Amino acid sequence: SPVVTCSAAVSPAHLCGVLLSAMSRLAAVCGGSRGIGKAVSRLLAEKGCRLAVLSRDGDAARATVASLHGADHVAFSCDVSKEQEVQKTFESIQKTCGNISYLVNAAGINRDALLLRAKPEDMVAVLHTNLLGTVLTCRAALRCMLHTQGAAIVNIGSVVGLKGNAGQCVYSASKAGLEGFTRSLAKEVASRNVRVNLLAPGFIRTDMTAGLKEEDGVRSIPLGRFGEPEEVAQAVLFLLESSYVTGQVLVVDGGLQLAM
Ligand code: NDP
């Protein structure tokens, strides 16, 4: 239970604010500066969470934080693929903001190419960001999540990780790896009441899909359109707030998987 000390000059309204902030859940969103992560940050802030928004570009993370509902949000510049950076960032989050209740891993990149044409440095970047990055942030965040009631992690995978796609071998491998990782971690930490789930989006309208022609892509989507980041955020919220769902993959793809 939070301990709040105050001087006699503090007004009841201020004290109320301090208490609320001490009691509201802290959510860390990796890749929270743009796209799906930004929509997740926005929704969680509207639901009363305090946010720690992480991305490589600290200015972009700060801009996101400035746009969020409520106060007490913080931005961190952090490359999730770098072990020491991740470790230091999560120590700093715990020191300045307290224990993390929710972790959302939405940091990701794609460098799509047929395998025979793929550059080794691109393969390493994709695997290190999407797969290793998620492993590292989960490990760093878990240390304090084990002490938080109702803690939960949502990793963002992809339908491509479940079904495969020509031209996306390495990206697909990074996302398929997240499925095994998520299910295993869910088993490891269930006894500590921490839940871990994977959300697998289809085509979502963000910077990552900006280069795609939507009219080509939508032919294979039963709902006939790309999804919006806010629609993924709603599903992330469900997984975070549920109490009896763990080790699962939730597909949010407008039915795309049915046609793959
Ligand atoms: P965006 O490109 O819009 O956003 C990616 C986010 O990740 C940015 O905030 C970016 O910030 C951050 N990021 C990238 N690399 C790193 C890194 N090394 N360390 C920290 N942060 C990083 O992508 P989306 O929102 O579309 O994608 C979010 C997740 O959803 C990804 O994992 C993606 O693979 C997955 N996904 C997306 C789909 C889509 O159709 N959009 C479909 C299926 C899955 P910065 O560049 O400043 O670091």
Side-chain angles (χ1 to χ4, degrees):
S1 55
V3 176
V4 179
T5 53
C6 62
S7 73
V10 173
S11 71
H14 178 77
L15 181 57
C16 204
V18 172
L19 274 170
L20 273 176
S21 130
M23 284 157 49
S24 66
R25 287 185 170 275
L26 174 64
V29 180
C30 303
S33 64
R34 289 189 275 121
I36 291 170
K38 185 173 183 177
V40 169
S41 300
R42 234 188 257 134
L43 184 60
L44 292 179
E46 280 164 18
K47 296 291 172 189
C49 289
R50 287 175 298 134
L51 267 298
V53 174
L54 285 68
S55 68
R56 288 168 302 181
D57 181 346
D59 288 339
R62 274 186 285 282
T64 295
V65 157
S67 72
L68 297 178
H69 178 86
D72 294 339
H73 310 300
V74 280
F76 291 89
S77 166
C78 175
D79 184 335
V80 295
S81 67
K82 304 210 164 115
E83 197 266 332
Q84 289 195 353
E85 229 174 271
V86 169
Q87 205 52 45
K88 275 191 190 144
T89 303
F90 277 84
E91 279 166 17
S92 169
I93 294 174
Q94 191 180 16
K95 218 182 238 172
T96 53
C97 314
N99 283 343
I100 294 168
S101 294
Y102 297 151
L103 171 67
V104 179
N105 281 304
I109 56 169
N110 62 346
R111 304 269 169 87
D112 297 343
L114 294 170
L115 188 61
L116 289 179
R117 291 191 192 150
K119 294 184 189 142
E121 60 269 29
D122 286 344
M123 299 182 201
V124 169
V126 167
L127 289 166
H128 279 192
T129 304
N130 299 358
L131 181 54
L132 182 65
T134 298
V135 172
L136 291 175
T137 60
C138 284
R139 193 176 67 146
L142 261 177
R143 295 191 199 285
C144 64
M145 293 181 88
L146 294 176
H147 305 293
T148 315
Q149 276 295 317
I153 297 173
V154 174
N155 298 324
I156 306 292
S158 167
V159 281
V160 165
L162 308 177
K163 292 288 181 177
N165 195 27
Q168 292 194 297
C169 284
V170 179
Y171 178 80
S172 164
S174 73
K175 296 300 186 176
L178 285 181
E179 185 182 353
F181 171 70
T182 299
R183 291 195 199 278
S184 302
L185 186 60
K187 287 184 178 177
E188 273 189 26
V189 296
S191 64
R192 306 296 295 267
N193 204 24
V194 179
R195 295 174 305 100
V196 192
N197 289 290
L198 184 75
L199 191 145
F203 288 112
I204 308 300
R205 210 192 312 265
T206 67
D207 291 351
M208 190 175 272
T209 53
L212 302 179
K213 281 195 195 137
E214 187 161 338
E215 58 272 24
D216 295 341
V218 292
R219 274 197 286 272
S220 53
I221 304 172
L223 284 184
R225 63 177 177 84
F226 280 15
E228 299 298 332
E230 291 72 20
E231 293 176 291
V232 180
Q234 286 291 347
V236 170
L237 180 68
F238 162 74
L239 290 174
L240 290 174
E241 287 190 334
S242 64
S243 51
Y244 205 52
V245 182
T246 196
Q248 297 303 305
V249 179
L250 178 58
V251 179
V252 180
D253 69 346
L256 174 65
Q257 194 194 193
L258 302 171
M260 287 177 95

